[in-house]
Amino acid sequence: MSGRQRLVDAFTTLADALPDAQFPLPLEDAQSLRSLASSLSNQVRDYLLPRATTIDAPLLAVVGGSTGAGKSTLVNSLLRAEVTRPGVLRPTTKSPVLICHPDDVAWFRSDKVLPGLIRSDTQLHDSRAMQIVEFPDLPPGLALVDAPDIDSVDHANRALADQLLKAADLWLFVTSAARYADAVPWDHLLAAAERNTVVSVILNRCPIGAMAEVAGHLGEMLSDRGLAAAHLFAVPERTLGPDQMIPLVDVSSIRQWLGRLASQSDARAQVALQTLAGSVRSIEGQVNELRAGVERQQDALAAMRADAERSYRDAAARVAQATGDGSMLRGEILSRWQDIVGTGDFMRGVEERIGALRDRLVGWFRGEPKLEAMEVAVSDSLAAVLQDAGEGAAEATAAAWAQTRWGRDLLAAEPSLGRAGEGFGETAAAAIRAWQTDVLNLVDEQSRGRRLKARLLAIGTNLAGAALIIVVFASTGGLTGAEVGIAGGTSLLAQRLLEAVFGEGAVRKLAEQAHRDLQDRVEAALAVDLARHVQVLDSFAGEPGAVDRLEAAAAQLRAAARTAFDDLTAPELTP
């Protein structure tokens, strides 16, 4: 494979990778990176691919500059014919006008050059269209484009002007004696210097008495900014003739320079190679900038995801603490359990009273109202704890995200993320009901075997499940004073009751498993609410592998360019 074909392939790879450079989060540099990605994509499509594919294609010389610099008048004056219409309104040139020899028109009418622009035979006020003018008096091998103003008040005009300049083999940059030091033109000229683009600067409307002084100063500015090789032409300020053209004598030097380029194939090739090589050399830094920007987007999203996950993980830990420190044995749950077992001095001789308790409680399993009341108390109280944890997690996530501007923007667009989801209350209640079923299943599974089954039947599965829940909540870490004695005695009775059925070791394992099951249910319920935040973040995630593809495209272009320009003997490639 030739070096040139490798370069074409590298440009194709880069063109395929650039759409992955997405910057949806409004980070500080996001807008400039979006503009860079769009600009680079246009440059690859409009200029780099077609020029690398056909090195000897006609040169594209773009006539660009500031509003009112006289670009259209200059083009007409160079061609000595009215091929583009100057205007008195601003912005003057809306759609670009491309003038070429009839022998070159097929190239410029094809989609190989500026494929995003509509071709037209008339000049339109539409930045998406480009007029093609066949002009036999223009030498073949060189086309002129009258471009929109680089400082137009119309954003579409400015964007198109920038796109055309980056698609050019050669710039004819038009400025005036009054505005040659303006910042906007120099931004473009400095970009040309960075890419080593062949540039001609035309100082238009220069007072005759100040031509030497102004042109000298502009030449010094060009030299100081890396454009010492730029061709500088000064056009004196004169009253236009009836044909509204600059006198031929004032533009003859520019016409001669362009004529030599068009007529000498070696000169055209040198211009094409110099601009192509310089553009390629500048691309790697731009691609690396895009890659770093994508990484910053990914890092910001990862940080936001970590904030959300931490908030919901902390919420699960709060539920675990609340269900393991004894605090659940306050209020309604304790009261309902005491309704079932009684409030007497049950600490004495518990083992001797187990048989009596069985007789006393055997009629309450499977739907006894007091047992059902306790189940409801557990469900309501625990669901409320979980609901409160979900609300706290959503609020904590919102507080963490609000520390950045992009986080605040996201919350402003999705204000519901600052509170638990609309259906989270039902999700929490369903999770607790499911856990209560898990507890009953644990008890039932533990009673395998005829003897254990008989013992369980003596008190009932539901009562055993209620006792196991009390044991799970048994720690007294959150209780004080008289509560410790009441809750401790209550949980001890529940534990002894279960030990009488299953044995001491089995009860401990049952309680541990039941607590793990509760945490699983809690975490699953919180994960449902966390998923709302993750889904929003995923919508900003961009294409997977974007960073790797951009890095690979830059590396492929670097290797291909070295081979291609060695083949084409372009010394400008070496910094």
Side-chain angles (χ1 to χ4, degrees), residues 312 386 424 427-428 431 519-530:
Y312 280 85
L386 179 51
F424 185 70
T427 299
Q519 279 305 106
D520 289 344
R521 294 290 185 181
V522 166
E523 290 172 4
L526 290 170
V528 171
D529 205 58
L530 170 62

Side-chain angles (χ1 to χ4, degrees), residues 3 26-27 30 135 137 195 286 303 458:
L27 274 63
F135 193 74
D137 290 342
R195 289 194 293 270
Q286 297 176 59

Side-chain angles (χ1 to χ4, degrees), residues 102 282 296 448 531:
S282 70
R296 287 193 294 275
R448 292 174 183 169

Side-chain angles (χ1 to χ4, degrees), residues 2-213:
S2 68
R4 184 177 59 80
Q5 185 57 49
R6 289 180 181 175
L7 189 61
V8 171
D9 291 347
F11 285 144
T12 302
T13 299
L14 179 58
D16 292 340
L18 284 173
D20 293 343
Q22 299 173 15
F23 309 94
L25 283 183
L27 274 63
E28 285 79 0
D29 57 356
Q31 185 55 51
S32 62
L33 288 170
R34 292 187 200 109
S35 297
L36 175 60
S38 176
S39 174
L40 186 54
S41 181
N42 287 336
Q43 188 180 12
V44 172
R45 177 192 62 189
D46 295 343
Y47 169 67
L48 295 171
L49 262 174
R51 176 53 67 195
T53 302
T54 312
I55 292 292
D56 58 353
L59 294 180
L60 186 65
V62 173
V63 182
S66 303
T67 301
K71 299 182 296 297
S72 298
T73 299
L74 177 67
V75 170
N76 290 337
S77 301
L78 289 171
L79 301 176
R80 310 315 295 173
E82 186 178 3
V83 293
T84 179
R85 295 194 306 272
V88 295
L89 300 178
R90 297 291 183 259
T92 51
T93 304
K94 181 71 174 178
S95 59
V97 180
L98 186 148
I99 306 102
C100 64
H101 189 275
D103 291 349
D104 297 333
V105 73
W107 171 256
F108 291 110
R109 285 193 181 276
S110 73
D111 61 357
K112 296 177 181 178
V113 180
L114 298 165
L117 296 182
I118 301 167
R119 271 50 172 176
S120 172
D121 292 325
T122 59
Q123 190 171 9
L124 304 175
H125 286 278
D126 188 339
S127 60
R128 298 168 298 176
M130 179 171 66
Q131 180 188 6
I132 304 290
V133 177
E134 297 183 42
F135 193 74
D137 290 342
L138 182 66
L142 175 68
L144 294 177
V145 177
D146 183 14
D149 305 326
I150 60 172
D151 57 353
S152 171
V153 296
D154 187 309
H155 172 74
N157 273 14
R158 295 197 307 274
L160 178 57
D162 185 68
Q163 180 180 348
L164 289 169
L165 289 170
K166 289 178 179 176
D169 297 294
L170 168 66
W171 287 10
L172 274 68
F173 213 87
V174 184
T175 186
S176 66
R179 301 191 59 184
Y180 70 88
D182 287 358
V184 173
W186 281 102
D187 289 341
H188 289 275
L189 288 169
L190 290 174
E194 181 183 349
R195 289 194 293 270
N196 201 26
T197 302
V198 177
V199 176
S200 171
V201 178
I202 300 172
L203 182 63
N204 197 21
R205 299 171 181 163
C206 189
I208 295 177
M211 283 186 65
E213 181 181 358

Side-chain angles (χ1 to χ4, degrees), residues 319-342:
V319 175
Q321 181 179 5
T323 56
D325 65 2
S327 59
M328 296 300 298
L329 294 181
R330 289 189 176 107
E332 188 74 8
I333 294 176
L334 180 60
S335 176
R336 294 295 170 240
W337 176 247
Q338 289 174 342
D339 285 347
I340 297 171
V341 300

Side-chain angles (χ1 to χ4, degrees), residues 434-451:
W435 176 65
Q436 289 175 294
T437 301
D438 292 340
V439 171
L440 295 179
N441 290 336
L442 272 177
V443 169
D444 196 51
E445 290 173 4
Q446 187 64 34
S447 63
R448 292 174 183 169
R450 187 173 301 174
R451 191 169 64 133

Side-chain angles (χ1 to χ4, degrees), residues 429-499:
I432 300 308
R433 289 195 299 270
W435 176 65
Q436 289 175 294
T437 301
D438 292 340
V439 171
L440 295 179
N441 290 336
L442 272 177
V443 169
D444 196 51
E445 290 173 4
Q446 187 64 34
S447 63
R448 292 174 183 169
R450 187 173 301 174
R451 191 169 64 133
L452 289 179
K453 179 65 72 174
R455 290 181 181 177
L456 180 62
L457 288 174
I459 63 171
T461 302
N462 286 14
L463 179 58
L468 182 54
I469 289 174
I470 294 297
V471 172
V472 170
F473 297 159
S475 172
T476 61
L479 304 177
T480 59
E483 289 178 320
V484 175
I486 297 172
T490 300
S491 62
L492 180 59
L493 178 59
Q495 182 171 333
R496 293 293 177 83
L497 189 63
L498 292 172
E499 287 175 355

